[in-house]
Amino acid sequence: MEFILHLALILLFTKISGQLALKIGQPSVLGELLAGVILGPAVLGWIQQTSFIHEFSEIGVLVLMFIAGLETDLEQLKANWKSAFAVAVLGVLFPFIGGYSLALAFGMSQGHALFLALLFCATSVSISVQALKEMNKLNSREGTTILGAAVVDDILVVVLLAVLMSVLGTGESVSIGALIGKKVLFFGIIIAACIWLIPMVMKLFARFQVSETIVSAGVIIALAFSYFAEYMGIAGIIGAFAAGIAISQTKHKETVEHKLEPIAYGIFVPVFFVSIGLNISFEGVGSQLLFIVLISIMAIATKLFGGALGARLTGFNGRSSMAIGTGMVSRGEVALIIAGTGLSSGLLDPEYYTSIIIMVIVTTLVTPSLLKFIFSKTETSGKQRSAS
């Protein structure tokens, strides 16, 4: 029954800390992330990472990205695909070079250095999505570019990870053509399902006389798309996001969104935010403090400026480019999964594991505040131009 107490503590602390964050002018998601650090091993030690919290948080992030898909303007997403691609490519290239150079500077082997470089490339926009949503920027040109870039980024990182594990002899030999073909097949099936299958499924469920069938249908589709994405070697959040976009094109969008949001943000999403913070621990990191500081700065700077450059080269102004780059900074749960894979396969030196996890948490914690700061500056600048 301990999980009941843990759930109560998580919900209590996330709502209080979220409100405190808003009081000092920060996004509530920052407070909710810090609640996990406070409740976890790093501070109070009241809650540990358990299978219950992990599974609950998995649902939380999938629902969060599903709702993001529901609220995304598909036409805006299509219009900014070139920018999204440029942001993703340069947002992988810069971190890869920076991470690799830093790893070699600290005396890591070639294999460990390449893996750290790959870890730097990961992006998780689930935290950015929540911050953008709070600022009503999720459907902006910048917001849709960040979401589109995240999809491309995930594909690039998955392909690079498979190639790296194959080359270094820690995974099965892979065919690059087959790997890319698998991703193409995934998107082909998803697009076909969005056009023909999803409207039929929603129409069918709408005829049922049992309670809340439309919401259940939306959740079923989101989970099915997420499972299919994982099966095809793509992050489940991409599948959930695609499911949201698919249902947003039907007349049931408002029903699903308005009835799912209270459950999502009332229960599941707070557990996801806390689970990120539960991964941090300060045991034995004193001797690696310089390493932690440098990899955190490098991880933030290379992803931010790489993404910003991609946006700038495709027509965004300076402030909007910086906002897009900032939205790509968070490594979140994607990097945590990759780090776990590297540890189990021997590509990540166990000596640096805790330090790298701290770096991942740092990038995740700074993203909401940076986004709020840059967007507030953009709005101030816009108002000044209008006044003049």
Side-chain angles (χ1 to χ4, degrees):
M1 297 295 287
E2 193 176 39
F3 73 89
I4 296 177
L5 175 60
H6 287 173
L7 183 57
L9 286 171
I10 287 170
L11 297 180
L12 175 64
F13 270 69
T14 52
K15 297 310 173 185
I16 292 174
S17 58
Q19 179 63 23
L20 290 174
L22 289 174
K23 287 287 186 182
I24 61 173
Q26 297 299 315
S28 66
V29 63
L30 175 62
E32 293 173 348
L33 287 166
L34 287 172
V37 178
I38 294 167
L39 287 169
V43 182
L44 297 176
W46 290 355
I47 300 177
Q48 305 291 325
Q49 188 71 268
T50 64
S51 59
F52 166 77
I53 290 176
H54 174 72
E55 288 162 7
F56 232 68
S57 68
E58 283 285 302
I59 297 172
V61 70
L62 293 179
V63 172
L64 178 63
M65 293 305 294
F66 175 55
I67 292 173
L70 283 171
E71 298 180 355
T72 297
D73 185 337
L74 186 58
E75 293 306 313
Q76 180 86 282
L77 192 62
K78 290 177 182 176
N80 293 308
W81 73 268
K82 290 181 181 178
S83 296
F85 187 81
V87 168
V89 171
L90 292 181
V92 165
L93 181 62
F94 276 51
F96 191 91
I97 294 172
Y100 180 71
S101 302
L102 192 59
L104 290 181
F106 275 87
M108 291 189 187
S109 66
Q110 283 290 333
H112 290 158
L114 286 169
F115 184 80
L116 182 64
L118 177 64
L119 189 64
F120 266 44
C121 299
T123 286
S124 173
V125 295
S126 51
I127 304 301
S128 300
V129 160
Q130 182 60 18
L132 290 167
K133 186 177 171 63
E134 288 183 24
M135 294 183 288
N136 293 317
K137 296 292 183 181
L138 188 59
N139 240 351
S140 65
R141 190 180 172 210
E142 293 89 350
T144 51
T145 300
I146 290 169
L147 288 167
V151 175
V152 180
D153 187 287
D154 178 68
I155 295 170
L156 291 174
V157 169
V158 166
V159 171
L160 287 172
L161 178 61
V163 171
L164 183 62
M165 293 182 73
S166 177
V167 169
L168 296 178
T170 57
E172 295 180 3
S173 179
V174 295
S175 163
I176 303 301
L179 200 63
I180 295 173
K182 202 174 179 182
K183 314 309 174 200
V184 172
L185 179 62
F186 166 78
F187 284 104
I189 292 173
I190 288 295
I191 291 170
C194 291
I195 296 172
W196 292 293
L197 181 61
I198 302 308
M200 289 172 54
V201 171
M202 297 302 290
K203 187 176 180 180
L204 174 65
F205 270 76
R207 294 175 182 169
F208 289 8
Q209 295 179 347
V210 293
S211 61
E212 306 299 350
T213 53
I214 293 299
V215 179
S216 294
V219 172
I220 290 167
I221 291 167
L223 295 177
F225 273 36
S226 300
Y227 179 81
F228 181 54
E230 292 282 355
Y231 181 78
M232 297 295 281
I234 294 174
I237 56 175
I238 303 299
F241 178 65
I245 290 178
I247 294 175
S248 74
Q249 304 306 301
T250 72
K251 65 179 182 179
H252 303 292
K253 170 189 173 180
E254 300 295 331
T255 302
V256 175
E257 184 180 345
H258 291 158
K259 292 192 174 183
L260 185 60
E261 274 195 341
I263 302 170
Y265 290 105
I267 303 175
F268 291 102
V269 174
V271 178
F272 163 64
F273 291 143
V274 166
S275 72
I276 295 286
L278 293 180
N279 289 289
I280 194 168
S281 172
F282 298 121
E283 290 183 14
V285 299
S287 60
Q288 294 187 9
L289 193 57
L290 177 62
F291 177 71
I292 293 170
V293 170
L294 290 178
I295 63 170
S296 297
I297 293 172
M298 183 71 80
I300 294 168
T302 53
K303 183 65 83 168
L304 195 160
F305 289 112
L309 180 60
R312 195 78 173 101
L313 292 174
T314 51
F316 283 90
N317 64 35
R319 290 193 184 276
S320 291
S321 297
M322 290 297 288
I324 290 168
T326 300
M328 301 296 289
V329 164
S330 173
R331 300 321 198 266
E333 77 285 354
V334 175
L336 293 175
I337 293 168
I338 293 175
T341 301
L343 189 65
S344 61
S345 64
L347 285 174
L348 178 59
D349 190 338
E351 177 187 354
Y352 294 105
Y353 179 74
T354 300
S355 298
I356 287 169
I357 295 302
I358 291 174
M359 175 273 288
V360 172
I361 305 299
V362 168
T363 64
T364 304
L365 288 173
V366 302
T367 298
S369 296
L370 283 174
L371 276 172
K372 179 76 179 284
F373 175 76
I374 292 174
F375 271 112
S376 65
K377 288 291 184 183
T378 302
E379 289 175 358
T380 301
S381 176
K383 288 177 182 178
Q384 288 174 346
R385 284 197 299 270
S386 297
S388 62

